[in-house]
């Protein structure tokens, strides 16, 4: 049997992360406080496995063993007791993540590695909440996790080289490409991506072009698979706003100031695909 892991959260990212660990043979203790989400999360994994079977990357006999490796828990104290790795994907909220990590640190074995999937919160600050900060690291998967190869690995100030090596090996064992970066606001992925999305929103706000024109220019001219406004809807406009705020506050630089149109859309509850409306409308 492969090393057991715990995944915290069964939302967009936790579901993909649990799927991938189970696919590569690891028993997953899956913690989700909202029990009403368990069934939906399992259905999502099941549908995504069907998609992989259709594409030929999995065979039909793989399905049941993968699903059998997923076991839900509502309490993290019992879930983390015998695992070698904890990957946290609870919402992007500093206070919540701090309380979750303090709790994990109380109950997990001494040698367990702690990884957070945060998009923008300081790894160094989260590491300071646990008993062994040298074993704490950022493991930033991309959405959709079963499809995207990149894992951005973020080394906090306290993270040891041994923890970096271990997490790079974990990522490779899941057929991912880990890339190491240092802990500064937005890391690399969001530090480069979010200003581009914000600029596209500014261009729309100033009436430079329509949403379709902005997205088409980036797709046809720059070979991006999705335009920046479509991508913002896919990520979630609330998530984009939260990350821009982290960049703005972290660097104290006005070039990261979120566009007023983005702020207004989040206030209106237009959060992108997940709410049915963002820069585009969804059914
Ligand atoms: P989400 O809101 O879809 O899911 C979070 C889940 O965590 C929810 O189901 C919630 O009920 C659960 N939860 C809340 N408190 C919990 C607790 N104490 N214990 C266990 N479960 C708990 O969020 P998401 O989009 O999956 O994002 C999760 C993390 O991944 C965030 O840090 C986010 O920044 C990061 N991230 C998101 C994306 C993305 O595209 N959505 C990409 C990369 C990284």
């Amino acid at each position: 049997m492969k090393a057991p892991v715990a995944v915290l959260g069964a939302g967009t990212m936790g579901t993909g992360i649990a799927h991938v660990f189970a696919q590569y043979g690891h028993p997953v203790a899956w913690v989700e406080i909202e029990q009403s989400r368990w069934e939906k999360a399992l259905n999502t994994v099941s549908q995504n496995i069907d998609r992989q079977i259709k594409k030929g990357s999995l065979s039909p006999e793989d399905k049941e063993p993968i699903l059998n490796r997923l076991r839900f828990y509502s309490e993290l104290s019992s879930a983390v007791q015998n695992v070698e790795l904890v990957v946290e994907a609870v919402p992007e909220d500093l206070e919540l993540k701090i309380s979750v990590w303090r709790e994990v640190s109380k109950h997990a074995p001494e040698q367990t590695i702690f990884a957070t999937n945060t998009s923008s919160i300081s790894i160094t600050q989260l590491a300071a909440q646990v008993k062994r900060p040298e074993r704490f690291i950022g493991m930033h998967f991309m959405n959709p996790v079963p499809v995207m190869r990149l894992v951005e690995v973020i080394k906090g100030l306290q993270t040891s080289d041994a923890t970096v090596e271990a997490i790079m090996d974990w990522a490779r064992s899941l057929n991912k490409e880990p890339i190491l970066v240092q802990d500064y606001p937005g890391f690399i992925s969001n530090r480069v991506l979010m200003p581009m999305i914000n600029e596209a929103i500014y261009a729309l706000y100033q009436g430079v072009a329509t949403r379709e024109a902005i997205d088409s220019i980036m797709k046809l001219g720059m070979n991006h698979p999705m335009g920046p406004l479509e991508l913002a809807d896919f990520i979630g406009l609330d998530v984009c706003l939260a990350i821009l705020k982290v960049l703005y506050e972290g660097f104290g630089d006005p070039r990261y100031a979120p566009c007023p149109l983005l702020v207004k859309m989040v206030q209106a509850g237009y959060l992108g695909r997940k709410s049915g409306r963002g820069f585009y409308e969804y059914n």
Side-chain angles (χ1 to χ4, degrees), residues 125-236:
Q125 188 177 6
L126 291 178
Q129 313 302 323
V130 302
K131 281 188 238 154
R132 286 171 293 280
E134 69 282 3
R135 302 189 76 84
F136 195 99
I137 195 160
M139 189 179 199
H140 187 202
F141 289 88
M142 304 291 132
N143 184 22
V145 182
V147 176
M148 301 292 281
R149 294 288 312 281
L150 174 66
V151 174
E152 189 178 33
V153 174
I154 306 113
K155 186 178 191 294
L157 196 61
Q158 314 94 317
T159 311
S160 68
D161 291 340
T163 300
V164 171
E165 277 318 305
I167 219 73
M168 303 287 277
D169 287 344
W170 271 100
R172 288 187 199 104
S173 78
L174 305 172
N175 194 29
K176 301 290 182 202
E177 289 266 0
I179 299 185
L180 180 63
V181 308
Q182 303 298 318
D183 183 26
Y184 285 98
F187 319 132
I188 289 296
S189 51
N190 283 314
R191 181 173 178 170
V192 174
L193 175 65
M194 286 302 156
M196 184 193 70
I197 285 178
N198 201 36
E199 202 57 35
I201 302 171
Y202 263 112
L204 182 72
Y205 169 71
Q206 292 166 348
V208 182
T210 62
R211 59 187 186 182
E212 289 84 2
I214 293 167
D215 280 342
S216 298
I217 284 170
M218 298 307 286
K219 284 191 283 192
L220 297 174
M222 319 302 157
N223 223 6
H224 290 194
M226 286 172 106
L229 300 172
E230 269 179 277
L231 181 58
D233 277 357
F234 182 70
I235 294 169

Side-chain angles (χ1 to χ4, degrees), residues 7-15 17 31-34 37 73-74 76 88-93 96-97 99-100 116-121 140-143 190 234-236 239 243 274:
V7 173
L8 314 182
T12 310
M13 295 305 287
T15 300
I17 294 167
V31 185
E32 167 58 60
I33 47 167
E34 299 277 350
R37 301 203 177 169
Y73 290 74
S74 46
L76 69 78
E88 167 269 311
V90 304
E92 190 78 342
D93 172 324
L96 172 67
K97 287 200 195 273
S99 78
V100 164
T116 175
N117 186 53
T118 180
S119 309
S120 61
I121 293 173
H140 187 202
F141 289 88
M142 304 291 132
N143 184 22
N190 283 314
F234 182 70
I235 294 169
V239 176
I243 298 171
K274 62 184 164 189

Side-chain angles (χ1 to χ4, degrees), residues 204 211-212 215 229-230 233-234 237 265 270-283:
L204 182 72
R211 59 187 186 182
E212 289 84 2
D215 280 342
L229 300 172
E230 269 179 277
D233 277 357
F234 182 70
L237 301 191
M265 290 184 69
Y270 300 161
L271 306 182
R273 271 176 196 253
K274 62 184 164 189
S275 73
R277 179 167 174 180
F279 293 106
Y280 295 87
E281 293 77 39
Y282 305 88
N283 292 322

Side-chain angles (χ1 to χ4, degrees), residues 67-140:
L67 291 173
N68 288 340
R69 287 184 201 113
L70 299 168
R71 182 162 166 210
F72 268 113
Y73 290 74
S74 46
E75 293 278 330
L76 69 78
S77 54
S78 41
V80 302
Q81 263 170 20
N82 291 308
V83 298
E84 292 192 15
L85 173 67
V86 177
V87 183
E88 167 269 311
V90 304
E92 190 78 342
D93 172 324
L94 176 64
E95 293 311 315
L96 172 67
K97 287 200 195 273
I98 287 177
S99 78
V100 164
W101 279 114
R102 285 185 181 159
E103 190 69 13
V104 173
S105 181
K106 266 194 240 161
H107 300 283
E110 203 157 292
Q111 67 283 5
T112 303
I113 292 180
F114 295 164
T116 175
N117 186 53
T118 180
S119 309
S120 61
I121 293 173
S122 160
I123 305 304
T124 303
Q125 188 177 6
L126 291 178
Q129 313 302 323
V130 302
K131 281 188 238 154
R132 286 171 293 280
E134 69 282 3
R135 302 189 76 84
F136 195 99
I137 195 160
M139 189 179 199
H140 187 202

